[in-house]
Amino acid sequence: MSASVHGVVPRWIGLSIRLGVCLSICLGLLSACGRTSSDLVVYSARNEQLIKPIFDRYTAQTGRTIKLITDDAGPLIERLAAEGANSPADLLLTVDAGVLWHAAERGLLRPIDSPILNANIPEHLRDPENRWFALSVRARTIVYSTERVQPQDLDTYESLTDEKWRGRLCLRSSKSVYNQSLVAMLIAQHGEEKTEQIVRGWVANLATPEFANDTLLMEAIIAGQCDVGIVNTYYYGRLQADRPELPLKLFWPDQQGAGVHVNVSGAGVTAHAPRADQARALLEWLSRQEAQTMIGAMDKEYPASPAVAPDPMVASWGTFRESPLNVAHAGELQPAAVRLMDRARYR
Amino acid sequence: MNAAIQSEGVPSARAQARYRPGFLLAALLCLPALVPLLVILSALVPLLVILSALVPLLVILSALVTPEVEVWSHLSRHVLPHVLVNTAALLAGVAILAGVLGTTLAWLTALCDFPGRRWLEWALVLPLAIPAYVLAFVAIGFLDYAGPLQSWLRATFGSSYWVPAIRSRGGVILILSLALYPYVYLLARSAFLTQGRHVLEAAQILGYGRMRAAWRVALPMARPWIAAGLALVCMETLADFGAVSIFNYDTFTTAIYRAWFGMFSVHAALELGAILLLFVLGALMLDRRSRGGMRFASARDLGQTSRRLKLSGATGWVAAVYASLVTALAFALPVLQLLWWTLKRAASDLDSRYWGFVANTVMLAASAAVVIVGASLALAYLLRRPHGRALDALVRLATLGYAVPGTVLAVGIIVPLVSLNNLLQKGLHAWLGPDSPSILLQGTLLGVLLAYMARFLAVGFNPVESGLQRITQSLDEAGIGMGVTGHALVRRVHMPLLRTSLLSAAILVFVDVMKEMPITLITRPFGWDTLAVRIFEMTAIGEWERAALPAVAIVLVGLIPAAMLTRGGGHVA
């Protein structure tokens, strides 16, 4: 009996009409959204609350408004690549040098020849071809329990493979881009073979499986699950802001050798930026004193411009010698680093 | 309550008088113009529905054709074996645990009576509102070595090493099961409620014992629902990224992310995604085949004559404790922890923008629910009429988006969407010249809804289809025999029977969209931040405690549909 089948057909009328209405409403919205505007458009992998206040200051000073889309760097870069010449984006902002290198490799960023940027941002913190520039520096260093570790026992990243740290080391997951770039820099320094030994040594010393983030790792050290770890300094800063009497301290490794590993958050003007001049102006403004101070204070990072003093809390952790290697290497060697960590079963 | 539901199936003279003449006249007048249009439209609508869900999948599958040799040999040696074992173990563990939890709880609350049942049957739906990644970070924050529980144990007893590690395979399975069992619970419960205690009684009259009646009759009859729920659970488990990465548990999803973000090989990422899809497709085929020859019917519950099975004394209390324990672990405790964190942070974070986030979230979730359930209904009806295998396969394929990790699917969506946009832009340029306005399809609500369709079609389609499966041909024939045909048959016979399924589908979609992160992030229009986007902003920088406020807001908004569900769909008691 197919009568029930015919019974279904009238539903299509209503359904189609409703779908049609929905479509036209959306198309109406679409045309409203589509008007070309003078707003700068920023694709940002840096968090809204860590960048919006700075943009607000820029708007207040210059009257230029900024539209912000935040997401992880990967999807943003894919979106940028797909949009091609029609992309509304003017500036790409990320929290890792590797993805900036990757975006530049794919031709998504344009070179900016700016005396201001060249003067403010040191050479090893920008692209050799000037397609992106660091805005802040993120140091990845050793953290230790002041109750159970003497600082003189610590030395370099690779010294954490030592027998005496067996069952006392905590690490964050190798999925963290900060660890990937740390290992990439170790490869640049020591070559793959030696680096693989280092990573295997770390894994052998682990007290507990790898953590999902630096904060959990430091809390494990406080609780006594392990004694040393490797973290980005601003996570330590956040914890210290909450609890001033933290039984943890930062140690600057390899001061006689290669120096502390640093990553950067940075930005570049997109290849097809509709408002490239404005984007460049914003980038230059971001490299200047005021913005640099704000960036540094907001998340307890180090300003990229060496002329700008860090936040007082950050300054209290002491000064250190950072690795002079160009951070672009982190991107270049990152795939190799990931494969190496896979081989070493660093999860 | 029962009488009310019953009466919906009975035609009322007044309604007939209101609808018939006007509708007939209009239909008669418009018929010549409408019929060809309708034919075209009816062919187009399902095609569009299917296409919008299919395109992203095709983009992903096309990656299989051109493998990257170097990356691939690394993955197959050092990544795949480990990841395959982990994924299979997780999938099996979650399917079993969530399946058992969901089915037994549905059984108890739908067919039995025990102390606190009225509360618990409602409360057991609530964990649906808690995203799995939120449950995961709450669990680790509370139960890990540095958390308050173990710290207290160490302070009191001097050691906590005997406590099983939460960051372990067992831990992930437990947390994902607690987060996902409501899918099975909801659907199985709707099955037990609609098939009625009648069936059980009939079986008992025929000489089956109570347990045997359950095992041999009620459970098999509920199978399409339980399977539909389990399919959702499995797909969600396969696609989960948030929870497993908080546990640092390597699965297919994390391998995909690693290939993409770590090795900058979108290609390898899409390849892994495609393999994952093939697995899911295979599993679904197996399930279809095993259910192939079966037919399912439903009986209306006549309430007055059949009673809930009274669990008295100890049995009743065991049931009550079991149900309360699940509610506590999956909902009450995590929400308390979230509230505690929220209180610490709300003063600085709660501002007027939150109403905007809530409004955006509800608006997106509600429109997605309407569109997706509508499309699911249309597809389910299409599958009901005689059709070829191709249509079957096409629809099956269109529901696979749910098993794909969100970010991968987001790329699968944004690429064709942007291409379409670029094409439109080109046409506009040719038409209006260089001054033509620029269009931005990828940043509009249309784009977001198309993307949700690709992801959540399964969530709408599975419950609707299982619901429709139980409306048998003979029921239609009986209706037709009584002169109820066409639209009236659908409206007066099908709709009342489908109500629970439709409502379940709509609410599942609503809640799922509300929790969704990667697709919302990449396709949302400028400034369209939702609660899930807020959670992303906080967790991305490791500020778990500040993510509690938007998480609590999601739970609160999610309570509304959860309440609707149990009140609208369930109380046949």
Side-chain angles (χ1 to χ4, degrees):
Chain A
M1 237 325 121
S2 60
S4 65
V5 170
H6 300 302
V8 175
V9 176
R11 286 208 61 78
W12 292 107
I13 312 175
L15 228 137
S16 316
I17 292 171
R18 261 165 272 171
L19 258 174
V21 170
C22 275
L23 272 175
S24 46
I25 290 173
C26 295
L27 283 172
L29 282 170
L30 178 152
S31 56
C33 293
R35 260 176 226 130
T36 2
S37 79
S38 59
D39 295 345
L40 261 175
V41 175
V42 177
Y43 285 5
S44 170
R46 193 181 167 87
N47 238 257
E48 193 197 333
Q49 64 263 35
L50 293 182
I51 195 67
K52 185 116 192 321
I54 297 167
F55 285 167
D56 287 346
R57 176 72 63 89
Y58 184 69
T59 305
Q61 277 184 12
T62 61
R64 291 194 201 110
T65 44
I66 295 170
K67 273 185 177 169
L68 187 64
I69 273 282
T70 53
D71 197 343
D72 281 326
L76 285 178
I77 287 175
E78 293 313 318
R79 178 170 172 175
L80 202 57
E83 286 170 342
N86 284 326
S87 176
D90 300 298
L91 201 70
L92 175 71
L93 220 135
T94 79
V95 286
D96 161 52
V99 284
L100 283 171
W101 173 85
H102 176 61
E105 277 299 287
R106 289 179 64 175
L108 301 175
L109 303 176
R110 65 167 72 183
I112 296 288
D113 188 23
S114 155
I116 299 173
L117 285 167
N118 290 351
N120 288 345
I121 310 296
E123 212 171 334
H124 70 287
L125 298 180
R126 57 183 146 95
D127 177 38
E129 290 171 50
N130 286 334
R131 289 165 299 183
W132 48 263
F133 302 84
L135 297 175
S136 68
V137 170
R138 317 182 128 192
R140 192 150 188 83
T141 194
I142 294 177
V143 66
Y144 64 93
S145 158
T146 48
E147 289 158 359
R148 298 180 299 277
V149 176
Q150 297 302 315
Q152 52 268 28
D153 289 343
L154 292 159
D155 184 12
T156 58
Y157 296 105
E158 50 270 31
S159 74
L160 292 178
T161 60
D162 199 291
E163 190 82 37
K164 71 176 170 215
W165 300 114
R166 179 75 30 105
R168 298 172 69 192
L169 176 68
C170 271
L171 286 178
R172 178 175 176 171
S173 159
S174 69
K175 271 153 231 110
S176 155
V177 71
Y178 305 125
N179 281 338
Q180 292 170 2
S181 77
L182 170 65
V183 172
M185 295 308 256
L186 288 176
I187 293 176
Q189 203 178 317
H190 302 288
E192 283 215 30
E193 208 174 316
K194 170 101 190 284
T195 308
E196 191 166 333
Q197 280 171 14
I198 297 174
V199 174
R200 282 183 190 278
W202 285 348
V203 174
N205 281 349
L206 284 180
T208 175
E210 298 85 339
F211 287 92
N213 64 57
D214 287 0
T215 311
L216 285 175
L217 186 160
M218 283 185 285
E219 267 156 12
I221 298 184
I222 297 171
Q225 198 170 18
C226 46
D227 301 334
V228 281
I230 300 176
V231 293
N232 277 9
T233 54
Y234 53 92
Y235 290 106
Y236 176 82
R238 277 187 216 150
L239 218 55
Q240 201 185 23
D242 270 358
R243 279 175 270 175
E245 298 303 316
L246 216 53
L248 294 176
K249 241 182 168 153
L250 294 174
F251 176 85
W252 306 114
D254 220 359
Q255 292 302 289
Q256 264 62 56
V260 174
H261 165 65
V262 294
N263 201 330
V264 300
S265 83
V269 179
T270 60
H272 300 286
R275 296 152 288 258
D277 289 341
Q278 284 190 48
R280 174 202 171 118
L282 172 61
L283 199 52
E284 288 175 344
W285 182 83
L286 286 171
S287 78
R288 288 205 170 99
Q289 172 86 39
E290 185 186 6
Q292 283 288 302
T293 309
M294 277 184 88
I295 292 175
M298 199 175 279
D299 197 29
K300 313 287 178 228
E301 294 170 58
Y302 292 89
S305 167
V308 178
D311 182 76
M313 178 198 270
V314 177
S316 74
W317 304 332
T319 53
F320 59 90
R321 209 171 74 80
E322 71 185 40
S323 165
L325 230 52
N326 190 300
V327 287
H329 286 298
E332 232 174 306
L333 292 170
Q334 193 175 317
V338 170
R339 272 179 247 164
L340 189 154
M341 293 191 286
D342 278 338
R343 289 198 297 273
R345 295 172 189 268
Y346 176 16
R347 306 292 181 205
Chain B
M1 200 68 171
N2 240 314
I5 288 171
Q6 282 284 300
S7 72
E8 278 170 32
V10 181
S12 90
R14 232 182 33 206
Q16 273 185 15
R18 193 148 25 99
Y19 285 119
R20 278 286 161 78
F23 181 76
L24 272 180
L25 196 66
L28 211 68
L29 282 174
C30 302
L31 211 59
L34 271 180
V35 169
L37 255 180
L38 258 179
V39 173
I40 298 167
L41 269 181
S42 67
L44 227 146
V45 171
L47 202 71
L48 273 181
V49 167
I50 290 174
L51 271 182
S52 69
L54 269 185
V55 170
L57 294 183
L58 286 181
V59 172
I60 295 167
L61 281 174
S62 70
L64 264 185
V65 189
T66 47
E68 273 179 16
V69 180
E70 193 197 354
V71 176
W72 196 240
S73 77
H74 168 79
L75 288 178
S76 58
R77 246 190 91 192
H78 297 285
V79 180
L80 274 180
H82 166 63
V83 153
L84 273 175
V85 170
N86 265 3
T87 310
L90 180 68
L91 201 59
V94 174
I96 292 170
L97 191 53
V100 168
L101 284 177
T103 314
T104 51
L105 289 168
W107 178 271
L108 287 173
T109 57
L111 302 179
C112 308
D113 207 4
F114 54 87
R117 176 192 56 83
R118 273 167 191 285
W119 276 99
L120 286 165
E121 72 175 332
W122 183 75
L124 281 166
V125 188
L126 299 182
L128 200 62
I130 304 184
Y133 49 82
V134 171
L135 197 61
F137 78 67
V138 169
I140 288 190
F142 190 75
L143 297 174
D144 204 17
Y145 187 89
L149 180 73
Q150 290 206 42
S151 299
W152 175 79
L153 286 175
R154 279 194 302 276
T156 321
F157 303 106
S159 135
S160 69
Y161 274 104
W162 46 273
V163 177
I166 179 75
R167 291 183 302 123
S168 62
R169 179 174 287 163
V172 201
I173 291 176
L174 179 69
I175 292 306
L176 272 180
S177 302
L178 285 176
L180 299 178
Y181 84 86
Y183 292 97
V184 180
Y185 171 74
L186 266 180
L187 296 185
R189 187 164 163 275
S190 132
F192 293 141
L193 283 174
T194 47
Q195 86 191 353
R197 298 177 275 275
H198 253 12
V199 179
L200 269 186
E201 280 169 11
Q204 281 172 321
I205 289 166
L206 291 174
Y208 278 159
R210 204 184 272 172
M211 282 311 285
R212 254 166 79 86
W215 197 247
R216 297 287 297 275
V217 180
L219 264 183
M221 280 187 68
R223 194 165 149 195
W225 277 261
I226 297 172
L230 271 180
L232 291 179
V233 168
C234 290
M235 286 163 116
E236 185 107 6
T237 305
L238 284 175
D240 175 77
F241 176 71
V244 290
S245 48
I246 292 166
F247 278 89
N248 196 33
Y249 184 81
D250 293 346
T251 63
F252 248 103
T253 326
T254 61
I256 289 170
Y257 275 64
R258 197 173 168 85
W260 183 3
F261 294 106
M263 301 194 226
F264 300 128
S265 174
V266 183
H267 221 84
L270 291 182
E271 271 161 29
L272 286 169
I275 295 181
L276 184 66
L277 268 184
L278 291 181
F279 272 116
V280 182
L281 199 61
L284 284 185
M285 295 283 207
L286 275 180
D287 176 61
R288 296 291 299 171
R289 182 158 286 191
S290 73
R291 267 195 285 162
M294 301 184 193
R295 285 169 149 206
F296 299 93
S298 80
R300 297 299 298 161
D301 195 335
L302 298 175
Q304 296 94 326
T305 53
S306 75
R307 270 197 210 99
R308 280 175 185 279
L309 188 61
K310 196 112 188 141
L311 299 179
S312 50
T315 336
W317 284 108
V318 169
V321 167
Y322 170 51
S324 325
L325 193 69
V326 174
T327 316
L329 287 178
F331 186 78
L333 290 177
V335 167
L336 279 178
Q337 172 77 75
L338 284 176
L339 282 174
W340 171 246
W341 281 339
T342 305
L343 283 179
K344 287 210 298 198
R345 294 290 188 169
S348 57
D349 283 354
L350 188 63
D351 49 37
S352 54
R353 290 188 309 161
Y354 260 85
W355 290 113
F357 301 146
V358 170
N360 287 345
T361 309
V362 170
M363 154 85 187
L364 274 184
S367 20
V370 169
V371 170
I372 291 171
V373 172
S376 304
L377 196 62
L379 287 175
Y381 267 107
L382 269 180
L383 284 185
R384 205 174 138 79
R385 57 208 264 184
H387 60 269
R389 273 162 177 253
L391 182 68
D392 217 39
L394 212 60
V395 173
R396 235 24 83 188
L397 216 60
T399 57
L400 283 191
Y402 196 49
V404 181
T407 305
V408 178
L409 193 70
V411 171
I413 288 162
I414 201 83
V415 169
L417 201 62
V418 165
S419 319
L420 178 68
N421 183 68
N422 290 355
L423 208 71
L424 288 176
Q425 185 78 67
K426 225 183 230 170
L428 210 63
H429 260 284
W431 184 32
L432 292 176
D435 289 337
S436 63
S438 64
I439 41 177
L440 207 61
L441 205 59
Q442 61 268 35
T444 60
L445 293 185
L446 178 65
V448 185
L449 286 180
L450 283 175
Y452 283 152
M453 179 89 102
R455 175 134 185 88
F456 293 120
L457 193 59
V459 183
F461 181 74
N462 282 7
V464 172
E465 198 213 11
S466 353
L468 207 55
Q469 251 183 27
R470 286 212 308 197
I471 300 176
T472 54
Q473 210 65 33
S474 56
L475 200 64
D476 282 3
E477 282 157 18
I480 291 158
M482 290 167 74
V484 184
T485 58
H487 192 185
L489 182 73
V490 173
R491 187 166 47 84
R492 300 209 321 242
V493 180
H494 291 188
M495 281 308 130
L497 286 172
L498 275 178
R499 220 181 94 201
T500 327
S501 300
L502 287 179
L503 203 66
S504 308
I507 283 158
L508 286 177
V509 173
F510 185 95
V511 176
D512 255 344
V513 167
M514 217 168 55
K515 299 186 286 188
E516 204 284 332
M517 225 182 246
I519 290 172
T520 315
L521 278 169
I522 193 80
T523 52
R524 80 202 135 122
F526 288 111
W528 258 78
D529 286 359
T530 65
L531 292 169
V533 172
R534 289 311 291 171
I535 297 188
F536 165 80
E537 298 279 6
M538 299 304 177
T539 51
I541 52 169
E543 297 261 26
W544 303 95
E545 301 193 355
R546 290 177 68 190
L549 176 60
V552 164
I554 283 192
V555 173
L556 286 180
V557 177
L559 286 184
I560 301 164
M564 267 170 56
L565 186 74
T566 35
R567 289 193 46 201
H571 278 306
V572 195

